[in-house]
Amino acid sequence: MSQLLLEIFSEEIPARMQPGAARDLERMASDRLKAAGLTWDALTTYAGPRRLTLVIDGLPAATPDRNEELKGPKTSAPAQALEGFLRKTGLTQDQLVERDGIWFAEISSKGRATTEVVAESVDDIIRHFPWPKSMRWGTGTLRWVRPIKRILALFDGAVIPFEVDGIPSGDVTEGHRFMGAGQPFAVKDFADYRQKLERNFVLLDAADRKLRILEGAKAVCAARGLALVDDDGLLDEVSGLAEWPTPILGDMDPQFLALPPEVVQLSMKVHQKYFAVRQPGKEGLAPHFVVVANVEATDGGAALAAGNAKVLSARLSDAEFFWTEDQKVGFDAWNAKLKDVTFHAKLGTLAERVDRIAALAREIAPLVGADPAQAEQAARVSKADLASGMVGEFPELQGIMGGYYARLAGQPDAVADAIRDHYKPQGPGDTVPTAPVTVAVAMAEKLDTLVGFFAIDEKPTGSKDPYALRRAALGVIRLVLENGVRASLGKVIHPAGVMIVAGQKLSGETQYTADLLSFFADRLTVLLRDKGQRHDLVAAVFALGDDDLVRIVRRVEALAAFLATDDGANLLAGYKRAAQLLKAEEKKGPLPEGAVATGLPNQPAEETALAFAAAAAASAVDAALEAEDFAAAMTALARLRAPVDAFFTAVMVNSDVAEERENRLKLLVQVRGVMNRVADFGQIAG
């Protein structure tokens, strides 16, 4: 078995495109080689600032011979069908085999050299690579993210000869643009390739580049008694900017620390790709930064640090200007601007959206223990900073800047905190607000989004969710569950829908409430499934029509615990048997209704015992559900397990005596009804 080494060497590949390019190269190479019949032991791809690399170990020298039988049309089929089959196979009729009135084609082909397959595959991969953006250069027709300079292709140490749009393959690559040997060099296999790259100041693996950045940045900070501010997103990005990353500590003008730390850190990150620095044990930032250079400077990076400090000062001076000017404007002027900003053509302006959020926040406030007036007050200025200069420059700071400006304007802390945090939670890893006013505004903001787009029939479809409605629904669910908000979702959704439909003069009946509740059920199912709960249990509980999310989750948890016991599993089996029997009877006509009789002549003891047990369970279940003691409800159901088992063992439901059959069907209807008060057991698998 042999090794394949492929490198596509080009001008700089944007850092944001590198991870996707590595995945695409792996997928495309795998698909094409598998289609040719090749197998291997290991396949790895690497992406860096100037190269995509593929290494495959354990490839055979050739593809296997193939013997394939293709089934064709019947011998009695029209001539056109046979002609089409012959074209497909490339055979003549006398080469076909007839068996049981059907034509078969037996096709044999010799294996091909792996090098031949690889050459064709690489050409196809390069010509069809799915870069988000690509370009042409020179006089060729090839498109790539940046001009390709070299193609290295080795199989078992030997060059695979081919060319792509005039670029020949070879065994040569290059090291670091500035620090390397300055000359291309030949390699013989992957180990030699990787070793020589490192000698020429190129770290091939992104994981190695990240480790070098992290360790180096922490070291230069520690040398000055400082600590690095962690930023995984920035680390991912800068690891794609430098082949030999070298962290350097720089100093910034301390006057800029008067700006909010989020402004300083974001300005560093977005414009300059710098890491922020802090002093251990102290809040806020330190007047320093870490820049990741692509060279090891002879002066230890002093000149680079000084140059970058000047650039950063210019950036922060702009931010300081916005900070100062914004404070002269204020919320009233910003809110007035929102009247001229369209939120959505069918949902009005941002100002109209703010009015809806404010009214809804006031409605929600009592449910979460918030002051209604403060909730409305916070909501009315929650979107104002969208018109500020700072958020215009740094959209990522929306909400955050509003919170700062609100405090400077003398707004209560609860209002300022609500403005700052009302977008939260924005993702699975984001924190969930707990302050009552913030919870009210955050729920109102997300519900207005959800109800609005559902009311105009702009729902997510498949993988498409342009308005991030799934994220908004998950945000509402997490706000409700992690704050223990006891409320009917339907009753909260309804006033939001009324405001949207009336305010935007939408015509026709809308199904947004039912559709949205179903959407919430799907999102809750996903959330609980990620926590280990079964999706069918959520469906079984939602089927009862309850839309109190806290109660639903408690019921699902109790149901899961019950079904994990022998009593639960066996009772579910009994339920399935009863439900199947009742379903068959319903096809014949309506099921009998009324009380179950006891003390009938020759009535089996097991029938009587189940009748009393079902009646007792009904009372106990109702009391437990009223108290929301779902564990007690499950305990009451567990007492049915033995009587149900005994009934099905000893009693024939479809008795020849009509009175007996009717009474036993009533009994099974009663048992089914008692269990379905807890959950729709018919939707539970097993």
Side-chain angles (χ1 to χ4, degrees):
M1 295 295 184
S2 302
Q3 181 189 80
L4 169 67
L5 174 61
L6 171 70
E7 180 199 71
I8 305 171
F9 183 83
S10 69
E11 295 293 342
E12 272 70 12
I13 303 170
R16 68 183 183 280
M17 296 185 188
Q18 291 171 24
R23 292 190 296 270
D24 287 333
L25 179 58
E26 177 180 353
R27 172 183 55 80
M28 296 177 79
S30 296
D31 290 349
R32 283 155 180 77
L33 298 183
K34 283 179 182 176
L38 288 169
T39 59
W40 54 86
D41 296 332
L43 184 154
T44 310
T45 56
Y46 303 91
R50 294 197 296 163
R51 67 197 79 222
L52 288 183
T53 303
L54 166 73
V55 57
I56 305 179
D57 288 310
L59 273 172
T63 64
D65 295 341
R66 288 188 177 183
N67 294 300
E68 186 179 10
E69 182 178 77
L70 297 180
K71 183 179 180 181
K74 293 182 178 180
T75 54
S76 58
Q80 294 90 331
L82 178 59
E83 290 170 2
F85 184 59
L86 293 174
R87 283 196 302 272
K88 175 183 175 182
T89 59
L91 302 178
T92 60
Q93 184 172 349
D94 60 354
Q95 292 176 297
L96 301 181
V97 176
E98 185 271 328
R99 192 164 60 246
D100 298 327
I102 298 175
W103 290 114
F104 288 89
E106 295 179 353
I107 301 176
S108 299
S109 60
K110 288 290 185 181
R112 301 171 63 204
T114 297
T115 52
E116 183 181 337
V117 173
V118 169
E120 291 177 0
S121 298
V122 172
D123 183 274
D124 188 52
I125 289 169
I126 290 176
R127 293 184 185 281
H128 297 95
F129 205 83
W131 291 108
K133 290 184 178 180
S134 59
M135 62 180 290
R136 288 189 297 182
W137 61 95
T139 58
T141 60
L142 194 64
R143 298 191 70 90
W144 196 249
V145 63
R146 296 290 186 271
I148 295 176
K149 299 298 184 182
R150 299 179 184 278
I151 300 174
L152 183 153
L154 297 176
F155 184 69
D156 201 17
V159 173
I160 305 173
F162 64 89
E163 68 173 43
V164 180
D165 205 38
I167 305 170
S169 61
D171 60 354
V172 173
T173 187
E174 298 180 25
H176 194 283
R177 187 185 292 275
F178 308 113
M179 298 171 62
Q183 295 294 327
F185 51 86
V187 301
K188 58 184 180 181
D189 57 25
F190 179 68
D192 184 46
Y193 168 77
R194 188 168 192 166
Q195 185 181 60
K196 287 181 177 177
L197 282 178
E198 290 197 21
R199 285 209 301 262
N200 282 269
F201 302 95
V202 174
L203 287 177
L204 180 66
D205 195 333
D208 292 337
R209 298 195 295 271
K210 289 180 188 178
L211 183 61
R212 178 178 168 86
I213 293 168
L214 202 55
E215 290 181 343
K218 289 182 177 180
V220 296
C221 287
R224 296 272 295 272
L226 302 168
L228 186 73
V229 175
D230 292 332
D231 190 328
D232 291 340
L234 181 57
L235 179 61
D236 287 340
E237 186 172 7
V238 295
S239 69
L241 295 175
E243 292 185 309
W244 193 254
T246 305
I248 298 170
L249 183 69
D251 304 321
M252 60 177 274
D253 191 332
Q255 76 173 29
F256 293 118
L257 294 184
L259 291 167
E262 295 91 345
V263 172
V264 176
Q265 188 172 357
L266 195 63
S267 185
M268 288 181 178
K269 176 179 180 176
V270 171
H271 294 302
Q272 305 306 129
K273 315 304 178 191
Y274 300 162
F275 287 90
V277 175
R278 60 183 176 83
Q279 291 183 334
K282 294 185 179 181
E283 293 185 0
L285 302 177
H288 308 280
F289 61 90
V290 173
V291 58
V292 178
N294 193 29
V295 294
E296 289 182 348
T298 55
D299 64 353
L304 277 169
N308 280 281
K310 290 181 180 179
V311 176
L312 179 60
S313 290
R315 292 293 187 185
L316 291 177
S317 293
D318 292 342
E320 191 175 47
F321 170 79
F322 291 126
W323 172 246
T324 302
E325 292 301 307
D326 281 346
Q327 293 176 56
K328 298 176 184 177
V329 180
F331 288 94
D332 290 341
W334 291 332
N335 269 341
K337 288 184 178 181
L338 299 186
K339 295 177 182 178
D340 298 322
V341 180
T342 299
F343 171 60
H344 186 279
K346 294 182 179 179
L347 296 174
T349 65
L350 272 177
E352 290 172 315
R353 171 163 157 79
V354 167
D355 287 341
R356 296 195 302 266
I357 294 172
L360 191 55
R362 190 177 188 93
E363 290 259 353
I364 294 172
L367 302 175
V368 300
D371 176 76
Q374 277 198 335
E376 181 178 359
Q377 179 185 0
R380 288 207 174 277
V381 290
S382 62
K383 303 296 182 184
D385 68 351
L386 294 175
S388 69
M390 188 72 82
V391 174
E393 180 73 9
F394 298 109
E396 300 91 338
L397 293 178
Q398 56 188 287
I400 294 172
M401 295 313 303
Y404 278 110
Y405 293 140
R407 276 182 229 283
L408 290 172
Q411 295 275 15
D413 285 345
V415 172
D417 289 346
I419 298 169
R420 179 192 65 199
D421 295 334
H422 79 282
Y423 290 104
K424 294 185 175 182
Q426 295 192 70
D430 199 6
T431 56
V432 175
T434 56
V437 174
T438 305
V439 173
V441 179
M443 284 184 62
E445 195 266 348
K446 292 167 183 58
L447 284 168
D448 178 77
T449 299
L450 287 160
V451 175
F453 286 108
F454 267 71
I456 62 172
D457 201 27
E458 289 282 359
K459 306 164 192 171
T461 57
S463 61
K464 296 181 180 178
D465 186 11
Y467 303 110
L469 301 186
R470 293 187 179 100
R471 186 177 70 185
L474 184 60
V476 172
I477 291 170
R478 292 185 64 200
L479 284 163
V480 167
L481 296 182
E482 296 186 34
N483 287 285
V485 179
R486 303 308 306 273
S488 160
L489 266 182
K491 291 181 180 178
V492 177
I493 289 170
H494 181 68
V498 169
M499 283 185 280
I500 288 171
V501 172
Q504 305 311 314
K505 299 180 176 60
L506 299 179
S507 60
E509 294 186 10
T510 176
Q511 291 292 318
Y512 65 85
T513 300
D515 291 347
L516 195 47
L517 287 176
S518 177
F519 186 66
F520 272 112
D522 290 340
R523 293 298 93 200
L524 180 62
T525 300
V526 171
L527 178 66
L528 295 182
R529 185 178 62 206
D530 291 343
K531 295 182 178 180
Q533 292 287 12
R534 290 164 42 180
H535 67 89
D536 56 333
L537 303 191
V538 181
V541 171
F542 251 106
L544 302 181
D546 193 1
D547 61 353
D548 181 323
L549 296 181
V550 173
R551 187 163 55 225
I552 287 169
V553 171
R554 290 177 184 171
R555 198 183 291 235
V556 168
E557 291 171 347
L559 182 59
F562 174 58
L563 292 174
T565 66
D566 287 341
D567 282 344
N570 288 329
L571 185 58
L572 176 61
Y575 176 94
K576 296 285 187 183
R577 184 173 177 182
Q580 188 174 10
L581 194 153
L582 291 174
K583 184 178 180 181
E585 290 298 319
E586 282 179 314
K587 293 179 180 179
K588 302 174 185 177
L591 293 173
E593 299 177 355
V596 177
T598 56
L600 294 175
N602 302 317
Q603 188 173 36
E606 292 82 1
E607 182 178 340
T608 303
L610 181 56
F612 284 119
S619 299
V621 165
D622 287 345
L625 294 179
E626 181 67 26
E628 295 192 6
D629 187 346
F630 301 114
M634 301 304 164
T635 300
L637 288 186
R639 299 191 189 105
L640 284 174
R641 181 261 176 104
V644 167
D645 288 349
F647 176 82
F648 279 118
T649 300
V651 179
M652 177 178 288
V653 176
N654 284 318
S655 170
D656 293 334
V657 180
E659 185 180 11
E660 291 178 350
R661 174 180 172 277
E662 181 176 317
N663 196 61
R664 291 166 188 173
L665 289 174
K666 287 180 182 178
L667 179 54
L668 292 184
V669 169
Q670 184 177 3
V671 170
R672 181 178 67 177
V674 171
M675 294 183 67
N676 280 350
R677 294 180 199 182
V678 175
D680 183 351
F681 279 77
Q683 297 205 35
I684 299 175

